[in-house]
Amino acid sequence: GQSLEQPSEVTAVEGAIVQINCTYQTSGFYGLSWYQQHDGGAPTFLSYNALDGLEETGRFSSFLSRSDSYGYLLLQELQMKDSASYFCAVRDPGAAGNKLTFGGGTRVLVKP
Amino acid sequence: EAGVTQFPSHSVIEKGQTVTLRCDPISGHDNLYWYRRVMGKEIKFLLHFVKESKQDESGMPNNRFLAERTGGTYSTLKVQPAELEDSGVYFCASSQDLGQYSGQFFGPGTRLTVL
């Protein structure tokens, strides 16, 4: 079946670094996406990795290892506004489509 | 550029009633997706439109759910009759996918409560 595993919750202080791991098992794979969602808000696209390696976008970086079916999102210089849920999602060709299969989400709590 | 919008933001109905959710994608986006998140579970794919055609409806839970996208612009998702287990947040997303993948853009969701 399709499954993505990520930790349910992480707590850290302002200025710290947090790494959210994601392991996946899906029938199809185009790439791994990361989304941020604040309570009551829309999931917001953060990054996408189709190839192995590290993608850096400001304070956030994302890594993919296709051979290990593993990726992570790295949040650096944590700020209070980074408190949110973070979802990994596999871009899956599906039935000739382009659907996302999501993990359960990791709630990140940033403390002063 | 306006983002994906959804209406209503909240809906509370009784079991057996009908509810219709609406999604307006980002202008020019041919791809439109519906997802939902029921309490405590992950966000799950429902279906994918390319323009007005259903590309993939493998995630639709049963025939009480009907999605349409007449004219290839906005989409509606009707639940008839609603059951208690349909409660959750229904998200719509859109994408263009020309050349390099640039992600799916999500709306704020419709929170559906079935009593």
Side-chain angles (χ1 to χ4, degrees):
Chain A
Q2 314 273 82
S3 70
L4 284 85
E5 299 292 330
Q6 53 181 125
S8 59
E9 191 171 298
V10 172
T11 301
V13 297
E14 273 188 297
I17 299 173
V18 159
Q19 179 173 316
I20 302 171
N21 297 321
C22 174
T23 56
Y24 59 88
Q25 184 175 22
T26 58
S27 57
F29 184 84
Y30 275 156
L32 187 69
S33 294
W34 288 92
Y35 283 81
Q36 178 194 61
Q37 185 186 24
H38 288 97
D39 286 345
T44 302
F45 176 74
L46 291 178
S47 68
Y48 176 69
N49 295 67
L51 303 174
D52 291 352
L54 189 68
E55 294 278 344
E56 297 181 76
T57 310
R59 295 186 297 112
F60 295 175
S61 303
S62 58
F63 171 83
L64 175 66
S65 169
R66 288 174 298 169
S67 61
D68 295 323
S69 297
Y70 163 76
Y72 66 72
L73 179 69
L74 193 69
L75 314 179
Q76 301 180 80
E77 300 171 25
L78 273 179
Q79 301 176 7
M80 296 297 291
K81 66 179 181 180
D82 298 331
S83 290
S85 291
Y86 294 82
F87 296 87
C88 58
V90 164
R91 182 180 168 221
D92 185 338
N98 207 6
K99 66 182 182 182
L100 293 175
T101 300
F102 282 86
T106 299
R107 192 167 187 85
V108 173
L109 178 61
V110 181
K111 294 186 171 180
Chain B
E1 179 185 270
V4 176
T5 57
Q6 294 185 243
F7 182 83
S9 57
H10 293 80
S11 180
V12 181
I13 61 172
E14 294 191 350
K15 176 182 170 181
Q17 289 186 319
T18 297
V19 63
T20 300
L21 314 180
R22 173 171 170 143
C23 168
D24 287 81
I26 293 172
S27 178
H29 280 193
D30 289 338
N31 296 281
L32 187 149
Y33 308 82
W34 284 99
Y35 295 85
R36 75 172 178 178
R37 188 178 192 193
V38 297
M39 184 66 73
K41 306 265 185 161
E42 65 272 17
I43 300 170
K44 285 210 163 181
F45 169 81
L46 295 178
L47 89 159
H48 169 205
F49 284 99
V50 177
K51 296 185 179 180
E52 66 274 10
S53 299
K54 291 176 185 174
Q55 184 78 8
D56 181 354
E57 50 185 331
S58 61
M60 294 290 263
N62 51 59
N63 59 10
R64 296 186 293 103
F65 289 75
L66 175 64
E68 295 180 322
R69 193 183 183 195
T70 307
T73 54
Y74 71 92
S75 175
T76 58
L77 180 64
K78 182 192 289 189
V79 185
Q80 178 182 31
E83 298 289 344
L84 299 179
E85 64 263 26
D86 301 332
S87 295
V89 182
Y90 289 76
F91 292 103
C92 175
S94 72
S95 70
Q96 187 53 296
D97 297 343
L98 292 176
Q100 187 172 0
Y101 180 71
S102 56
Q104 294 181 18
F105 297 88
F106 280 73
T110 294
R111 182 173 294 277
L112 174 64
T113 302
V114 183
L115 302 176

